[in-house]
């Protein structure tokens, strides 16, 4: 898919094109109005590592200098303060899980890589990651470890 659409109860309208077509990207709308598109699978089947932001005036999504590790699956959630948290699933041959925090800067590129590879106890052992933002701004990370559910 190389286009994005705004879907409302009354219909949908195109809002921009992506410079690289992709399947299953992570899309997050931040509280400052910026829309972030990260990762996904390219048309050739390879995983993508770019992070894009919407450029409403040009009706397109612009590339940023931020790159994330190519992984089969990323999970994303918007945080207060115009931030997004991305957490990768484990991948064979990659012993670490990547955790990336992005922040909107309100400028043309608008995204900076704030932190990468947090050390979160137990996070490396879970599969099927799911993220939820709690009222205090903390993030609940859930998944399963060898068939048992857990929250971290």
């Amino acid at each position: 898919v190389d286009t994005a659409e705004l879907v409302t109860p009354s219909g949908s309208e195109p809002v921009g094109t992506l410079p690289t077509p992709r399947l299953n990207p992570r899309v997050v709308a931040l509280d400052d109005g910026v829309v972030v598109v990260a990762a996904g699978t390219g048309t050739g089947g390879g995983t993508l590592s770019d992070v894009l932001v919407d450029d409403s005036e040009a009706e397109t999504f612009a590339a940023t200098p931020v790159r994330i590790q190519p992984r089969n699956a990323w999970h994303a959630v918007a945080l207060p303060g115009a931030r997004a948290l991305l957490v990768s699933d484990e991948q064979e041959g990659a012993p670490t899980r990547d955790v990336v925090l992005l922040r909107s800067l309100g400028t043309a590129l608008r995204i900076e890589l704030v932190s990468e590879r947090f050390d979160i106890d137990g996070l490396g052992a879970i599969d099927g990651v799911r993220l939820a933002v709690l009222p205090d701004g903390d993030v609940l990370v859930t998944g399963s470890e060898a068939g048992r559910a857990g929250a971290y």
Side-chain angles (χ1 to χ4, degrees), residues 1-5 14-22 37 52-56 58-63:
V1 176
D2 66 352
T3 60
E5 292 189 18
V15 294
T17 58
L18 303 170
T20 306
R22 63 196 64 223
V37 176
L52 311 171
V53 293
D54 69 297
D55 183 344
S56 306
E59 294 184 356
T60 189
F61 285 80

Side-chain angles (χ1 to χ4, degrees), residues 59-147:
E59 294 184 356
T60 189
F61 285 80
T64 69
V66 176
R67 293 289 178 265
I68 56 178
Q69 292 294 321
R71 299 280 194 228
N72 291 332
W74 280 92
H75 308 279
V77 65
L79 299 173
R83 297 174 304 147
L85 181 72
L86 285 78
V87 178
S88 71
D89 265 350
E90 287 186 283
Q91 184 170 329
E92 191 173 325
T96 62
R97 179 183 306 280
D98 294 296
V99 180
V100 177
L101 181 64
L102 303 171
R103 180 176 323 179
S104 170
L105 299 175
T107 63
L109 294 176
R110 297 191 288 208
I111 297 291
E112 75 176 5
L113 181 63
V114 178
S115 297
E116 186 176 13
R117 296 179 190 245
F118 287 92
D119 183 16
I120 300 176
D121 291 339
L123 190 56
I126 62 175
D127 291 320
V129 171
R130 296 295 178 260
L131 307 173
V133 179
L134 303 177
D136 64 2
D138 286 348
V139 176
L140 177 67
V141 181
T142 63
S144 63
E145 177 183 7

Side-chain angles (χ1 to χ4, degrees), residues 7-48:
V7 178
T8 65
S10 60
S12 66
E13 63 182 84
V15 294
T17 58
L18 303 170
T20 306
R22 63 196 64 223
L23 297 172
N24 300 318
R26 298 301 99 193
V27 179
V28 179
L30 303 182
D31 59 11
D32 67 348
V34 170
V35 176
V36 176
V37 176
T41 303
T43 55
T47 55
L48 301 173

